[in-house]
Amino acid sequence: MELSNRDKAEAIQNSIETETLSQVGLINPHSYKQHNPHVATGLQAILDLHDQMPMDKVYTNVVRKFQDGDFGFVHVDYFLFEPTVAFDIHRFENGVSVEHWDNLQVNSKKLNKSGRTMTDGKTKAQDHHKTELNKTLVKRYVKDILIDRQIELVSDYFKGDELIQHNPDMGDGVQEFLSTLAQWESEGKPQVYSKMHKVLGEGNFVLVLSEGFFKGEHVAYYDLYRVENDKIVEHWDVIERIPGLEKRKNENGKF
């Protein structure tokens, strides 16, 4: 039976641990566009990177897997060169991946203020009939609150103070989130969202790829939201610095 795109994305990432990427045959060997700026484009560059990993320590644990049309995307707890949390996205054509995006962040393994990790929480999509509505809701939220900073609109997107938070530097609650943003700004290291690049979703889970600045560095934000009854109720994220052009190993762009 043909695997779904979510299952194919999971199988590709799991093949890192099992060292079976070539055997699973899910990446186009002739045309594979790479958006990770630290890796050259093409399948061989991935295989070469795997050869450098400390395989006695490497593990992959796909915690969440979703699909949106030709895209399969996964939320992964890794040990690659160090403990890492990532989102990986694959675009499929004719059954194989032809394009890949990702965002990686070191996992400190510490619990946040509310005792949560970067990957725990709900994992299964529901309300598949509301995928497009949920994508629209989250897209509006990122534009209104994170990019335009129209904080007065925050009640449009949350039910009271309810927000389950997995960011390692915050605890639960909408007010906690807003207070942390204000604190970072007062300390001269604001979290700035400047542009939204891609919105993917399945059911009540929506992943948004954005660009901006954090603590003075140019970064990519991958934010995953869970929606219930037309309100955002849970949030996970991965933030990664974008290297300068001179340090990138491909010319495909981060997004």
Side-chain angles (χ1 to χ4, degrees):
M1 187 174 67
E2 176 75 9
L3 291 175
S4 66
N5 286 338
R6 72 175 75 81
D7 289 337
K8 288 176 184 176
E10 177 184 37
I12 290 170
Q13 300 313 131
N14 279 339
S15 72
I16 297 173
E17 179 176 345
T18 57
E19 300 183 76
T20 56
L21 182 59
S22 296
Q23 292 91 318
V24 297
L26 290 173
I27 290 180
N28 189 316
H30 309 295
S31 177
Y32 182 65
K33 189 174 184 179
Q34 177 65 259
H35 291 275
N36 182 322
H38 302 288
V39 184
T41 207
L43 174 58
Q44 189 58 49
I46 298 292
L47 297 174
D48 292 344
L49 181 65
H50 292 178
D51 287 341
Q52 301 172 30
M53 292 180 181
M55 294 309 300
D56 59 322
K57 297 180 180 179
V58 167
Y59 68 79
T60 61
N61 176 25
V62 175
V63 182
R64 294 172 183 83
K65 55 180 178 178
F66 308 106
Q67 65 184 34
D68 186 343
D70 294 332
F71 294 91
F73 55 106
V74 291
H75 192 190
V76 193
D77 169 28
Y78 282 123
F79 190 104
L80 299 174
F81 295 96
E82 59 190 333
T84 302
V85 175
F87 287 102
D88 285 271
I89 303 168
H90 290 271
R91 183 174 67 84
F92 294 93
E93 284 183 2
N94 300 317
V96 295
S97 177
V98 296
E99 194 166 8
H100 170 254
W101 300 256
D102 63 3
N103 225 39
L104 298 91
Q105 182 176 336
V106 173
N107 186 357
S108 70
K109 299 287 189 176
K110 294 179 181 178
L111 301 180
N112 71 7
K113 295 179 183 178
S114 295
R116 305 190 190 280
T117 73
M118 292 181 69
T119 58
D120 62 1
K122 293 282 190 177
T123 61
K124 304 296 188 296
Q126 57 189 49
D127 297 334
H128 285 79
H129 64 291
K130 297 181 71 172
T131 295
E132 292 306 318
L133 286 174
N134 289 332
K135 286 170 66 176
T136 298
L137 172 77
V138 171
K139 186 175 181 179
R140 281 177 33 226
Y141 163 75
V142 173
K143 178 70 166 61
D144 287 347
I145 306 302
L146 299 182
I147 296 177
D148 294 342
R149 301 302 286 269
Q150 297 184 73
I151 304 302
E152 69 276 8
L153 300 177
V154 73
S155 62
D156 292 350
Y157 302 104
F158 300 95
K159 181 182 176 182
D161 193 47
E162 294 180 14
L163 175 61
I164 299 169
Q165 179 65 260
H166 296 273
N167 181 296
D169 297 319
M170 302 182 194
D172 289 354
V174 177
Q175 287 307 311
E176 161 78 6
F177 166 63
L178 296 177
S179 296
T180 302
L181 292 185
Q183 178 184 339
W184 287 342
E185 189 161 359
S186 70
E187 294 171 350
K189 50 181 183 181
Q191 185 175 54
V192 177
Y193 282 69
S194 56
K195 186 175 182 179
M196 191 176 354
H197 286 273
K198 193 182 297 293
V199 179
L200 299 171
E202 181 180 357
N204 63 328
F205 282 85
V206 180
L207 178 66
V208 183
L209 282 60
S210 306
E211 182 176 1
F213 294 86
F214 185 50
K215 298 181 179 179
E217 293 189 320
H218 185 203
V219 299
Y221 296 106
Y222 277 42
D223 291 281
L224 181 68
Y225 299 93
R226 185 171 65 87
V227 180
E228 274 186 6
N229 300 318
D230 305 318
K231 299 290 185 181
I232 294 169
V233 295
E234 194 162 10
H235 169 252
W236 301 259
D237 63 353
V238 168
I239 305 171
E240 183 177 17
R241 187 176 70 85
I242 301 174
L245 290 173
E246 72 284 355
K247 294 184 179 180
R248 299 182 194 180
K249 294 187 177 181
N250 65 67
E251 298 179 352
N252 300 320
K254 177 69 174 174
F255 301 99

